[in-house]
Amino acid sequence: MGFDADLTACAAMLERGDPARFRAAMAAPVPARRVLFPLYAFNIEVARAPWVTQETMIAEMRLQWWRDVCEEIAEGGAVRRHEVATPLADVLDAEDARLLDELVAARRWDVYRDAFEDADHFARYLDQTSGNLTWVAARRLGAADEAVVRDAAYGAAVAAWLLAIPELEAAGRVPLLDGTAEGVRALALGAQQRMAGARTRRGAVPKPARAALLHVGQADAVLKAAIRDPSAVAGGRLPTADPGLAWRALTGRW
């Protein structure tokens, strides 16, 4: 089953920009990659839009461009030609597009240097970004329980966030509401508990949709390390390897 130039470009973009999700997508069945490659490439394009310029207006314009793409897909009309937008439009429905528009809107936080307002704001940001992305992937691949998918995605999002802390702080952002050892440990513990809860309900995610969750297993080692030694977060000493991916792909036990 061959890929056209757009899907090949999405895969290459994913390999460069998000190696963890690239490896997870490559471990998925080939038909699932037709969904995951453009969806994850879209996420890369949106996630990096606020970071490629120091001009907030330009960053806002870049995000708005992707919001316009989502609107075009939701309306069911012609969608602008683009190596990511074009294959993305082929796999989404209107509800998916609205969820991704919400993801883009949440990324406006990345444009500025304001701290999160409170714990609810932080949790909402993670849910609207990682949660929406993972839920759309699961929706496209098969019927799944939304709460289970979002709980698993939250755990993965916290782990990814902890990995990014040194870079975020170096860029002048305030990424944590409580950056103390106790605060970091509590955040990681909460994420670990939500992932554990999701796993007790694995049966609510049928086999075709499990490919959308293959990437979340990498979070286990990150969260455990942050709980054991919260100083490893700011010190950039959290693990990044994912030796269990092949096992998860074989068994479907994300």
Side-chain angles (χ1 to χ4, degrees):
M1 184 181 295
F3 286 175
D4 61 17
D6 286 340
L7 283 172
T8 300
C10 288
M13 185 184 304
L14 184 59
E15 185 176 17
R16 293 190 304 270
D18 191 344
R21 280 198 174 93
F22 174 74
R23 291 190 294 269
M26 289 299 293
V30 173
R33 296 178 205 168
R34 293 184 174 275
V35 173
L36 298 177
F37 282 157
L39 187 57
Y40 291 164
F42 161 85
N43 186 58
I44 291 173
E45 291 279 76
V46 172
R48 72 185 182 186
W51 300 93
V52 295
T53 177
Q54 296 293 321
E55 298 293 331
T56 58
M57 183 176 294
I58 294 175
E60 289 272 16
M61 290 172 62
R62 287 176 179 271
L63 290 177
Q64 185 58 51
W65 193 92
W66 284 104
R67 296 197 72 179
D68 292 343
V69 168
C70 291
E71 182 178 6
E72 290 167 0
I73 295 173
E75 291 178 346
V79 176
R80 63 196 66 190
R81 171 77 190 111
H82 184 270
E83 63 184 3
V84 176
T86 300
L88 187 69
D90 289 339
V91 298
L92 300 186
D93 64 16
E95 178 61 21
D96 298 326
R98 284 189 282 270
L99 287 165
L100 294 187
D101 176 68
E102 191 176 78
L103 181 159
V104 182
R107 284 290 182 181
R108 292 186 66 246
W109 182 89
D110 297 7
V111 176
Y112 303 99
R113 297 177 185 269
D114 299 332
F116 289 105
E117 297 168 7
D118 51 30
D120 286 343
H121 182 201
F122 177 67
R124 186 167 63 252
Y125 171 88
L126 294 185
D127 188 54
Q128 290 175 333
T129 52
S130 177
N132 280 15
L133 180 70
T134 308
W135 174 231
V136 169
R139 275 170 50 90
R140 289 301 91 212
L141 296 177
D145 184 285
E146 182 174 0
V148 174
V149 171
R150 288 189 180 275
D151 281 347
Y154 177 81
V158 169
W161 193 254
L162 293 176
L163 284 167
I165 293 299
E167 184 177 356
L168 290 167
E169 291 183 336
R173 301 302 196 269
V174 184
L176 293 172
L177 290 162
D178 183 353
T180 66
E182 294 77 9
V184 170
R185 184 176 286 113
L187 177 63
L189 274 170
Q192 190 181 62
Q193 289 165 0
R194 282 187 65 172
M195 284 191 69
R199 283 173 170 146
T200 65
R201 296 173 286 157
R202 276 196 186 99
V205 181
K207 185 175 180 179
R210 292 174 193 166
L213 295 171
L214 285 176
H215 69 284
V216 307
Q218 183 178 358
D220 291 326
V222 175
L223 297 175
K224 288 177 183 176
I227 293 166
R228 182 174 60 252
D229 178 14
S231 69
V233 174
R237 301 191 305 275
L238 295 175
T240 57
D242 186 13
L245 176 59
W247 180 84
R248 295 197 305 276
L250 181 64
T251 63
R253 293 179 64 83
W254 45 268

